[in-house]
């Protein structure tokens, strides 16, 4: 399904390899290129998420007010979206666009020997074999497996940090749920990463490290600014009063 995307990434990685020489370095450069290309989408998604957090109380109010009338609730929500020029899918769309790229990249890195005839896939001898898995590397002893194990631990930790950081923007039960989900995902990443090629782990480690740095120095500022702008817009928005006209009753005729 992602073959055409895999082929594009294959050509890109092959081009990078011609001047980077080292496979691990080529993967890191590929990460940087893809992350730079996806940054505008991520920022758009972040702004949309921040706006939703500001608008959420009003949305919940509408849902509660018309809880017994789903049709009216849908109409009012659509009206609310239109008045605020807000698309609830805007935050999801960039992520959906990224998914095919990430799946294709995973396919390429998992099957490096099938795409390239190079006999060795290493990262400056730090990771002597990018095609092996942490579980398989233990067959050669703990010290040989240690670099792969470090990649695996980073894979899990760098999954945890962004989730915990994002939970700071939530409050109460929602924040607690996000933290719990982050811990569960970290355990899942450890389990999944145990059987993943080290080259894939290297990609995710570098990509996740990029995300953490971006989140600390860029994303949080974007969220704060988007929230402030939306709150200011709502504050200056004209007050809308919902008026329900009472049905006029016919006046009783005076008896003559």
């Amino acid at each position: 399904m992602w073959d055409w995307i895999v082929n594009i990434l294959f050509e890109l990685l092959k081009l990078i390899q011609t001047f980077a020489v080292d496979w691990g370095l080529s993967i890191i450069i590929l990460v940087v290129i893809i992350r730079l290309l996806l940054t505008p989408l991520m920022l758009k998604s972040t702004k949309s998420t921040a706006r939703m957090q500001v608008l959420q109380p009003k949305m919940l109010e509408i849902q509660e007010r018309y809880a017994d009338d789903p049709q009216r609730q849908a109409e009012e929500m659509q009206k609310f979206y239109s008045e605020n020029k807000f698309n609830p899918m805007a935050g999801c769309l960039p992520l959906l666009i990224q998914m095919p790229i990430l799946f294709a990249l995973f396919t390429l890195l998992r099957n490096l020997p099938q795409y390239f005839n190079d006999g060795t896939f290493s990262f400056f001898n730090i990771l002597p074999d990018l095609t092996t898995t942490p579980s398989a590397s233990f067959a050669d002893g703990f010290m040989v497996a240690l670099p792969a194990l470090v990649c695996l631990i980073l894979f899990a930790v760098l999954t945890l940090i962004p989730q915990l950081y994002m939970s700071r923007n939530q409050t109460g039960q929602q924040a607690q749920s996000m933290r719990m989900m982050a811990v569960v995902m970290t355990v899942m990443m450890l389990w999944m990463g145990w059987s993943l090629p080290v080259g894939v782990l290297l990609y995710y480690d570098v990509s996740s490290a990029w995300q953490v740095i971006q989140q600390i120095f860029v994303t949080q500022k974007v969220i704060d600014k988007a929230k402030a702008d939306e709150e200011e817009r709502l504050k200056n928005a004209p007050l809308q009063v919902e008026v329900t006209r009472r049905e006029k009753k016919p006046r009783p005729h005076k008896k003559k």
Side-chain angles (χ1 to χ4, degrees):
M1 183 177 180
W2 318 116
D3 288 349
W4 65 277
I5 305 178
V6 173
N7 291 332
I8 292 174
L9 293 175
F10 163 69
E11 294 296 336
L12 181 57
L13 187 59
K14 185 167 68 173
L15 176 64
I16 295 170
Q17 177 62 11
T18 57
F19 63 84
V21 181
D22 182 84
W23 280 103
L25 183 59
S26 297
I27 291 173
I28 292 173
I29 294 172
L30 183 62
V31 170
V32 173
I33 292 172
I34 291 176
R35 275 293 180 179
L36 285 173
L37 292 174
L38 293 178
T39 293
L41 293 176
M42 288 299 297
L43 293 178
K44 185 177 180 180
S45 175
T46 300
K47 289 178 182 178
S48 179
T49 302
R51 287 195 67 200
M52 177 173 278
Q53 290 175 3
V54 176
L55 297 173
Q56 196 170 30
K58 181 62 177 176
M59 293 162 62
L60 291 174
E61 182 184 329
I62 293 173
Q63 290 171 358
E64 290 175 3
R65 183 183 301 175
Y66 303 106
D68 298 330
D69 189 349
Q71 184 176 352
R72 179 69 186 279
Q73 183 187 97
E75 291 173 356
E76 290 296 325
M77 289 296 291
Q78 195 61 43
K79 180 182 175 183
F80 177 75
Y81 293 149
S82 178
E83 289 173 350
N84 290 277
K85 298 179 181 178
F86 177 72
N87 182 0
M89 294 300 296
C92 302
L93 187 59
L95 297 177
L96 293 176
I97 294 173
Q98 291 180 60
M99 292 309 293
I101 298 174
L102 296 178
F103 278 125
L105 191 58
F106 173 80
T107 301
L108 175 62
L109 296 179
R110 187 181 58 183
N111 301 296
L112 273 177
Q114 297 178 22
Y115 287 96
F116 297 94
N117 295 322
D118 196 324
T120 58
F121 298 91
S122 63
F123 177 37
F124 291 122
N125 293 323
I126 300 171
L127 296 168
D129 187 1
L130 296 174
T131 63
T132 191
T133 65
S135 58
S137 62
F138 267 90
D140 298 322
F142 177 77
M143 293 307 297
V144 175
L146 185 58
L149 190 59
V150 171
C151 277
L152 175 62
I153 294 172
L154 285 174
F155 179 56
V157 171
L158 291 171
T159 299
L160 177 65
I161 293 175
Q163 299 295 324
L164 292 179
Y165 200 83
M166 286 299 292
S167 69
R168 296 171 54 191
N169 296 309
Q170 307 296 333
T171 56
Q173 186 64 35
Q174 195 169 7
Q176 187 176 353
S177 298
M178 283 190 69
R179 294 189 193 102
M180 182 61 68
M181 183 63 69
V183 174
V184 172
M185 284 184 64
T186 301
V187 175
M188 287 181 61
M189 292 301 104
L190 282 171
W191 177 72
M192 288 174 55
W194 183 248
S195 302
L196 286 177
V198 177
V200 175
L201 294 179
L202 177 63
Y203 167 80
Y204 277 108
D205 287 349
V206 177
S207 183
S208 297
W210 176 291
Q211 182 182 353
V212 169
I213 294 170
Q214 181 176 273
Q215 203 162 25
I216 294 172
F217 295 103
V218 179
T219 306
Q220 191 59 46
K221 292 180 180 179
V222 171
I223 289 175
D224 293 340
K225 186 177 185 305
K227 281 185 175 181
D229 290 346
E230 189 63 22
E231 288 169 355
E232 184 68 21
R233 187 190 68 81
L234 291 175
K235 187 189 300 183
N236 296 328
L239 182 63
Q240 295 182 352
V241 180
E242 186 176 344
V243 178
T244 304
R245 293 188 176 182
R246 297 175 61 184
E247 185 180 352
K248 291 184 178 181
K249 295 182 179 180
R251 293 182 179 180
H253 294 288
K254 292 182 179 180
K255 293 183 180 180
K256 293 182 179 180

